[in-house]
Amino acid sequence: MRGIFYGIGVGPGDPELLTVKAIRAIEKVDVLIAPKTEKKDGSVALSIAKPYLKDDVEIVYQVFPMVKGFAENSTEAWEQNKKEILELLEAGKNVAFLTLGDPMFYSTYIYVYRLLEHEDIEIQTIPGIPAFAAIGSLMGYPIVEGDDVLSIVPATAPPEKVEKAVQAADNVVLMKVYKNFDEVTDMLARNDMAKQAVLVSRAGLPNEKIIRDIEEHKGEKLNYLSTILTRKN
């Protein structure tokens, strides 16, 4: 009998923010797939889930190189990862893929799901708390209220696309603010949204960083896991 494949969102960083359903799945699976980058050892998602791992769980690290136009151009590495997951499931093992935040929100899991969704296997996807929701609660910062319109924007998108999304909304969540922090800050200032902004880097993780005046911190190097919440004045 084939095992079940779980996609599990572990939230932004605090292990206590995992859902009960996520914890129960982690406690019963036989294998955990821990995604990692090619440049770094270890897995942030795995470190968050660590308090709930059973002693004999098998941990498999997989590297998922990102490529543009993934749907048409999945790489040999991705296909090998798929093959390894299917072999584990065929052996009757329940397998979980851990991902930061929510599995269906800017997640590597989305591409893994697309690789597996047409295979003859059972897939269960378990949602997790995205970073911006945790930051809103941490900072006492309402993300939207009343009839507010919210834009959630990856700061890695083309600058003109980012600015159009910002201008169209009352409230904004900017994700992945790290490479172009200064440019993003200037763009928010042009749109009268810099003074109201708060930035949190590595929310709920070691070395968490909170910036309440982003214009005063221009030039600082930020972690990839950096998010800005802001609104129109």
Side-chain angles (χ1 to χ4, degrees):
M1 184 175 178
R2 292 187 184 91
I4 299 170
F5 183 73
Y6 296 89
I8 302 177
V10 299
D14 182 350
E16 293 187 348
L17 291 180
L18 269 76
T19 65
V20 173
K21 190 169 186 175
I23 293 169
R24 286 177 177 165
I26 290 169
E27 289 175 339
K28 70 183 179 184
V29 296
D30 305 296
V31 182
L32 286 174
I33 302 295
K36 57 176 287 188
T37 68
E38 295 171 277
K39 299 177 182 178
K40 296 180 180 179
D41 293 328
S43 162
V44 177
L46 178 62
S47 69
I48 295 168
K50 190 174 181 180
Y52 310 110
L53 305 186
K54 61 183 183 181
D55 293 338
D56 61 345
V57 70
E58 180 183 353
I59 297 172
V60 175
Y61 290 95
Q62 290 188 339
V63 175
F64 292 90
M66 296 309 297
V67 292
K68 288 187 177 180
F70 168 79
E72 301 81 24
N73 301 296
S74 58
T75 66
E76 183 179 344
W78 281 82
E79 292 298 327
Q80 182 57 41
N81 290 342
K82 173 185 175 180
K83 181 174 180 287
E84 185 175 24
I85 291 170
L86 289 174
E87 287 174 350
L88 290 166
L89 294 170
E90 286 292 337
K93 296 181 178 181
N94 292 321
V95 180
F97 183 95
L98 302 181
T99 184
L100 288 171
D102 180 84
M104 292 297 184
F105 188 86
Y106 292 131
S107 168
T108 303
Y109 172 76
I110 295 168
Y111 308 108
V112 177
Y113 177 83
R114 286 175 178 161
L115 281 174
L116 297 172
E117 65 177 325
H118 299 298
E119 301 293 331
D120 186 21
I121 59 172
E122 180 180 350
I123 300 176
Q124 294 186 20
T125 304
I126 300 173
I129 295 173
F132 69 85
I135 291 168
S137 295
L138 171 70
M139 304 299 296
Y141 194 106
I143 297 167
V144 280
E145 53 190 303
D147 295 327
D148 288 348
V149 173
L150 175 69
S151 283
I152 301 175
V153 191
T156 50
E160 62 278 7
K161 187 175 183 180
V162 172
E163 189 154 10
K164 283 182 181 178
V166 167
Q167 291 170 341
D170 303 300
N171 295 32
V172 174
V173 172
L174 278 156
M175 313 278 295
K176 307 173 189 175
V177 183
Y178 67 112
K179 283 184 180 178
N180 55 349
F181 174 47
D182 288 5
E183 290 82 358
V184 167
T185 299
D186 290 341
M187 181 273 297
L188 291 177
R190 284 196 303 274
N191 290 277
D192 196 23
M193 299 180 83
K195 297 298 182 186
Q196 303 81 256
V198 295
L199 181 148
V200 178
S201 180
R202 293 180 60 85
L205 291 165
N207 303 318
E208 177 184 84
K209 184 173 187 176
I210 297 172
I211 296 176
R212 291 181 172 84
D213 187 342
I214 61 172
E215 291 178 289
E216 291 295 318
H217 290 264
K218 285 177 62 177
E220 291 189 16
K221 186 175 181 180
L222 296 177
N223 183 269
Y224 173 78
L225 300 173
S226 296
T227 300
I228 290 176
L229 305 186
T230 189
R231 60 172 70 97
K232 288 197 168 114
N233 192 0

